[in-house]
C-alpha cells in the first residue's frame, strides 16, 4: 500500500479539521464554489470526482470477463452479496439505527438524508481498493480482476434502478433526472474514457507504460479525494460542530454492514467449496464500497450541504481500518476454512 492508502483514515480526519476550519474562516469562498452548478451538478466537485474515478477505472481490463467461468462459484457468491444482500441490508440497518434508535440524537429532519447516503454507499461495489485488499490476503488475481470488471459492467445498468428502489423504500423522493445524469457522468462516461485511454496507452507502450501512467495518476486521484472531503466538511462544518456525535452514529450501521456482508460471502464460499484464495477476496469485494461513486452521487442528488453527502464521507473515514481488519480475519481463519 502507498503512504496515502496506508494512512487514508488519518488524512480523512485531517480533512475534517481543515474543512471545518476553512468553512468558518472563508464562508464566502465556499459559497462561491457551491454556486458553480449546471443542472444541479457542481462543476468543481465534478472535476475532482473525475480525477478520482478515472485513474481507478484505468486498472480494469474488461477482457478479463472471459475468465469469469474459471471461478464461477466465487463470482456467483460475490454477485449475490453485492447486488442482492448488501444494498438491502444497509437500507434495513439505516432504517433501524438512523431512522429509529439514533433518531433522537441526530439533527431534526436529517434522518432520511443520512439513510439515503448509506444506501448510495452500499449500492456501489468497490472497484479500486479491492486490488489492494486482495493482494494483502494473497487472493487469486484473475478472480479479483474478472469480478471487479463484471461489477463495473453491472453498475452501468443496475446502480440507478437499485438506488431508486431503495430510496423509495426509505421514503426519499428520487430525482430521476439527476440520478440518471449522475450515472452517465460518474459511471458511463468515466468507464468509456478510461477504457479508451487504457487501450491507447497499451497500444503505444504496453503494460509498462500503463503502470507508469497509473503511478503518476495515483497520488493525484487521492489528492482529489481529499480535496473533495475538505469541501464537503467545509459545508458541513457548522452542523458537525453542533453535533459531533453524528459521525460516530453514522459509522455504526456501516461497520455492522461490512462485517455482516464479509461474513456472508466467506461462509457461502466455504459451503460451496470455493478455494480459499478466491473466498478471501470474495469476502472483501462483498464488504467494501466504491465510495468515490457514492460521494459523487450523493452530492449530485442531494447537494454538498446534505446529510447524504456526509454519510458517504463517513464510509471513506472507516474504509481502511475496517477492511484491514477483514483482511486479518480471513487470513487468520484460513486453517478453519480449509479444514472443510
Amino acid at each position: 500500500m502507498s503512504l496515502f492508502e496506508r494512512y487514508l483514515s488519518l488524512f480523512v480526519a485531517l480533512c475534517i479539521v481543515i474543512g471545518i476550519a476553512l468553512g468558518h474562516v472563508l464562508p464566502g469562498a465556499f459559497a462561491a464554489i457551491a454556486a458553480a452548478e449546471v443542472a444541479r451538478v457542481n462543476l468543481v466537485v465534478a472535476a475532482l470526482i473525475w480525477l478520482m474515478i478515472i485513474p481507478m477505472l484505468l486498472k480494469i481490463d474488461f477482457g478479463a470477463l472471459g475468465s469469469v467461468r474459471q471461478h464461477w462459484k466465487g463470482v456467483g457468491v460475490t454477485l449475490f452479496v453485492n447486488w442482492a444482500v448488501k444494498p438491502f441490508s444497509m437500507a434495513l440497518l439505516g432504517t433501524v439505527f438512523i431512522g429509529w434508535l439514533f433518531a433522537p440524537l441526530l439533527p431534526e429532519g436529517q434522518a432520511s438524508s443520512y439513510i439515503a447516503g448509506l444506501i448510495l454507499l452500499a449500492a456501489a461495489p468497490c472497484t479500486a481498493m479491492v486490488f489492494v485488499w486482495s493482494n494483502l490476503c494473497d487472493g487469486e488475481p484473475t478472480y479479483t480482476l474478472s469480478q471487479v470488471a463484471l461489477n463495473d459492467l453491472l453498475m452501468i445498468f443496475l446502480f440507478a434502478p437499485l438506488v431508486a428502489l431503495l430510496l423509495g423504500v426509505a421514503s426519499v423522493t428520487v430525482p430521476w433526472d439527476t440520478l440518471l445524469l449522475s450515472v452517465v457522468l460518474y459511471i458511463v462516461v468515466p468507464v468509456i474514457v478510461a477504457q479508451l485511454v487504457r487501450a491507447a496507452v497499451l497500444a503505444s507502450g504496453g503494460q509498462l507504460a500503463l503502470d507508469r501512467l497509473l503511478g503518476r495518476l495515483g497520488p493525484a486521484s487521492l489528492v482529489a479525494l481529499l480535496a473533495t472531503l475538505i469541501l464537503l466538511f467545509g459545508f458541513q462544518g457548522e452542523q458537525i460542530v453542533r453535533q459531533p456525535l453524528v459521525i460516530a452514529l453514522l459509522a455504526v450501521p456501516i461497520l455492522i454492514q461490512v462485517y455482516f456482508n464479509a461474513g456472508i460471502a466467506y461462509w457461502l464460499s466455504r459451503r460451496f467449496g470455493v478455494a480459499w484464495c478466491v473466498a478471501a477476496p470474495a469476502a472483501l469485494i462483498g464488504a467494501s464500497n466504491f465510495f468515490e461513486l457514492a460521494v459523487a452521487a450523493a452530492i449530485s442528488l442531494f447537494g454538498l450541504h446534505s446529510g447524504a453527502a456526509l454519510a458517504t464521507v463517513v464510509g471513506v473515514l472507516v474504509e481502511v481500518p475496517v477492511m484491514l481488519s477483514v483482511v486479518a480475519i480471513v487470513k487468520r481463519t484460513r486453517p478453519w476454512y480449509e479444514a472443510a
Side-chain angles (χ1 to χ4, degrees):
M1 298 177 72
S2 70
L3 178 67
F4 270 120
E5 290 168 340
R6 189 177 299 119
Y7 297 106
L8 180 59
S9 293
L10 175 61
F11 286 119
V12 172
L14 290 174
C15 286
I16 294 175
V17 176
I18 294 170
I20 292 173
L22 290 177
H24 283 283
V25 174
L26 302 170
F30 281 84
I33 293 172
E37 288 187 348
V38 174
R40 293 188 63 184
V41 174
N42 186 276
L43 299 179
V44 176
V45 175
L48 290 172
I49 289 171
W50 266 49
L51 192 55
M52 272 192 275
I53 292 177
I54 289 179
M56 297 178 180
L57 294 176
L58 282 172
K59 300 177 182 178
I60 308 302
D61 178 13
F62 283 101
L65 289 174
S67 63
V68 165
R69 61 183 179 274
Q70 297 177 21
H71 306 287
W72 67 271
K73 288 184 179 179
V75 169
V77 166
T78 310
L79 288 178
F80 172 71
V81 173
N82 278 158
W83 297 105
V85 176
K86 185 166 67 172
F88 298 93
S89 64
M90 180 59 96
L92 176 61
L93 289 169
T95 301
V96 171
F97 283 95
I98 304 303
W100 179 43
L101 291 178
F102 298 156
L105 303 173
L106 296 169
E108 187 176 353
Q110 286 291 318
S112 61
S113 183
Y114 293 141
I115 295 171
L118 295 175
I119 288 172
L120 288 168
L121 192 64
C126 188
T127 292
M129 291 292 280
V130 162
F131 293 113
V132 177
W133 312 136
S134 180
N135 185 56
L136 289 174
C137 66
D138 303 318
E140 166 57 49
T142 305
Y143 159 76
T144 304
L145 180 59
S146 59
Q147 179 67 76
V148 170
L150 184 57
N151 270 337
D152 273 8
L153 187 63
L154 289 174
M155 259 194 292
I156 295 174
F157 304 101
L158 296 182
F159 182 76
L162 186 60
V163 166
L165 170 66
L166 291 174
L167 291 185
V169 170
S171 301
V172 177
T173 302
V174 180
W176 269 102
D177 54 344
T178 308
L179 178 58
L180 293 175
L181 179 62
S182 297
V183 171
V184 172
L185 276 179
Y186 302 126
I187 302 179
V188 178
V189 175
V191 165
I192 293 172
V193 171
Q195 291 305 302
L196 290 175
V197 172
R198 178 186 173 88
V201 173
L202 287 174
S204 62
Q207 186 62 43
L208 286 176
L210 181 62
D211 290 341
R212 286 195 298 269
L213 177 62
L214 289 172
R216 290 195 295 268
L217 291 179
S221 177
L222 286 165
V223 168
L225 170 63
L226 299 179
T228 303
L229 298 184
I230 288 174
L231 288 179
L232 285 172
F233 283 107
F235 289 112
Q236 298 279 353
E238 185 178 345
Q239 177 179 306
I240 295 170
V241 170
R242 288 201 314 265
Q243 297 276 348
L245 189 61
V246 169
I247 291 177
L249 296 180
L250 289 173
V252 172
I254 295 174
L255 292 172
I256 295 173
Q257 186 240 19
V258 167
Y259 291 118
F260 172 74
N261 287 291
I264 289 288
Y266 200 47
W267 177 76
L268 285 175
S269 296
R270 191 172 187 261
R271 287 296 301 269
F272 287 118
V274 177
W276 183 86
C277 63
V278 171
L284 296 161
I285 295 172
S288 57
N289 305 303
F290 191 178
F291 53 75
E292 295 87 356
L293 173 61
V295 170
I299 293 171
S300 294
L301 291 173
F302 302 102
L304 282 162
H305 302 81
S306 66
L310 179 62
T312 58
V313 171
V314 176
V316 187
L317 182 63
V318 303
E319 171 86 3
V320 172
V322 174
M323 292 309 299
L324 285 175
S325 72
V326 176
V327 170
I329 290 169
V330 296
K331 292 185 77 170
R332 290 174 183 172
T333 58
R334 183 172 183 173
W336 165 81
Y337 186 96
E338 294 187 334

